Amino acid sequence: MKTFFASESVSEGHPDKVCDQISDAVLDAVLSKDPRGRVACESLATRGLILVAGEITTKCYVEIPKIVRNVVKEIGYDDPAMGFDGDTCGVVTAIQEQSPDIALGVDTGGAGDQGLMFGLAVNETEELMPMPIMLAHGLVKRLSDVRKEKILRYLRPDGKSQVTVEYENGKPKRVDAVIIGAHHNESVKTEQLREDIKKLVIDQVIPKEMVDKGTKIFINGTGRFEIGGPVSDTGVTGRKIIVDTYGGYAHHGGGAFSGKDPTKVDRSASYMARYIAKNIVKAGIASICEVQLSYCIGIAEPVSVNVNTFGTAQVDEKKISKVIRELFKLTPRGIIEELNLLRPIYTKTAAYGHFGREEEGFTWENTDKAKELKKILK
């Protein structure tokens, strides 16, 4: 049976991702001085203005306007000709302390809010991630690389990608469609841009064996993409939650990650759910695994732990759920300790996905529990 699944990603210069990176940069700045600081930071970016708001409780001082301007310039908005740049944009802050009602639960080790979080792993790629989202991330990351390395000097920071994969009997067979939107200056001709992006981005990322004569490629579908970033669209923190996770391949509890310190289970429990699911698939217990954790404000242990292996598990899913509770630390405090989350590691998570990245700091991508799981469950 043939099926098709598409996922999208966006570049670091996309307005929403600009905001995610600003919020996480503020978080990192606090954690670098005060690991116990509480941060819930939201950002909004529009033409000529960035607004940073939220609740921050800390013993240290961080200079938010300076952080904002550095992030914006590092992304690549450093030229007034783009209509938005880090030196001239206005920065407004509206920060208050965390509600004492929330602190009552968090201070004792409980969850900072109710909610449900999902983690997924699937043996479609080396990273144990769905193929469509990994290819989509790869395209916009490559788009950024050829811009920053000045291989394609006409590119600007904004950009989007979308990849549709054809599956046969549940396995990736071929890439059916590739879409790229590449932000550029006025000097480049559309035909030249399309030729360059095909050769230097798409051909470098999409495996040749996954492409055939039926693969459809669309580059800047309207022809031009000169106006981009916060000039063209208002950006807001937390609006790319599907890009951040599994590209729509898994369920999502609705909570965003960026700007939230790890006492917020929206973030930390989602990381733990991925860690659990990845170790289960790595152990060979199932070929796909989705883990749901749910919490109540002020209560430390999860209200429920649910495992769905979509019929691929070699053992009963109830037994897997029981072993998860025994083997993994699932309280907010336990998750923070297990994954070493009280560190300034978050800005780099805010673009190109929080999962499937086996880089320093991404402790939730470790598979150090796989052998033990295999021993217990097989």
Side-chain angles (χ1 to χ4, degrees), residues 22-93:
I22 289 169
S23 294
D24 271 338
V26 172
L27 170 61
D28 279 349
V30 172
L31 290 179
S32 66
K33 297 180 178 180
D34 179 11
R36 299 292 172 180
R38 301 276 169 76
V39 180
C41 179
E42 311 291 343
S43 304
L44 179 147
T46 188
R47 182 189 290 265
L49 177 67
I50 293 174
L51 169 65
V52 181
E55 298 77 48
I56 299 178
T57 302
T58 180
K59 298 176 182 178
C60 71
Y61 170 78
V62 296
E63 192 174 345
I64 291 176
K66 184 177 181 181
I67 292 168
V68 170
R69 296 186 190 283
N70 286 342
V71 169
V72 172
K73 287 188 285 187
E74 189 170 325
I75 288 168
Y77 289 111
D78 54 6
D79 183 352
M82 286 185 266
F84 182 85
D85 73 281
D87 285 323
T88 64
C89 68
V91 179
V92 177
T93 62

Side-chain angles (χ1 to χ4, degrees), residues 76-249:
Y77 289 111
D78 54 6
D79 183 352
M82 286 185 266
F84 182 85
D85 73 281
D87 285 323
T88 64
C89 68
V91 179
V92 177
T93 62
I95 304 295
Q96 59 185 334
E97 290 189 341
Q98 183 185 71
S99 163
D101 293 342
I102 296 174
L104 283 173
V106 177
D107 290 344
T108 59
D113 200 355
Q114 69 179 51
L116 48 136
M117 300 83 206
F118 290 90
L120 177 85
V122 58
N123 63 0
E124 290 182 9
T125 64
E126 189 176 312
E127 300 86 359
L128 301 183
M129 285 284 287
M131 183 174 286
I133 188 64
M134 291 306 294
L135 292 178
H137 285 327
L139 289 169
V140 284
K141 181 62 170 65
R142 176 65 182 168
L143 192 66
S144 175
D145 289 344
V146 297
R147 170 179 61 88
K148 288 188 168 183
E149 293 169 14
K150 302 188 185 303
I151 297 170
L152 296 178
R153 293 175 179 270
Y154 55 76
L155 287 179
R156 288 174 170 174
D158 203 351
K160 302 181 78 172
S161 69
Q162 186 171 296
V163 177
T164 303
V165 173
E166 179 184 325
Y167 289 77
E168 191 170 88
N169 298 321
K171 300 293 183 182
K173 182 183 179 183
R174 55 182 291 274
V175 170
D176 185 65
V178 176
I179 302 172
I180 285 190
H183 188 199
H184 60 87
N185 66 24
E186 68 284 349
S187 67
V188 66
K189 302 296 184 184
T190 300
E191 295 76 15
Q192 183 63 53
L193 179 141
R194 286 173 172 165
E195 181 182 329
D196 290 343
I197 297 300
K198 170 67 167 60
K199 178 182 178 181
L200 296 172
V201 177
I202 295 174
D203 289 351
Q204 302 302 313
V205 174
I206 305 298
K208 290 180 174 58
E209 65 273 15
M210 297 292 289
V211 178
D212 58 29
K213 61 182 180 181
T215 300
K216 301 176 285 292
I217 294 175
F218 305 95
I219 301 168
N220 286 16
T222 62
R224 306 299 288 173
F225 186 2
E226 291 180 36
I227 303 171
V231 175
S232 63
D233 289 297
T234 298
V236 181
T237 298
R239 204 157 56 181
K240 286 292 177 283
I241 59 176
I242 301 303
V243 171
D244 284 345
T245 53
Y246 307 99
Y249 202 99

Side-chain angles (χ1 to χ4, degrees), residues 329-343:
K329 298 176 182 179
L330 301 180
T331 66
R333 189 171 289 168
I335 293 170
I336 289 168
E337 180 184 317
E338 180 92 39
L339 300 180
N340 195 14
L341 297 179
L342 291 178
R343 296 176 295 148

Side-chain angles (χ1 to χ4, degrees), residues 319-330:
K319 184 177 180 182
I320 298 174
S321 295
K322 182 174 182 291
V323 169
I324 287 171
R325 283 190 177 269
E326 294 170 353
L327 191 59
F328 294 89
K329 298 176 182 179
L330 301 180

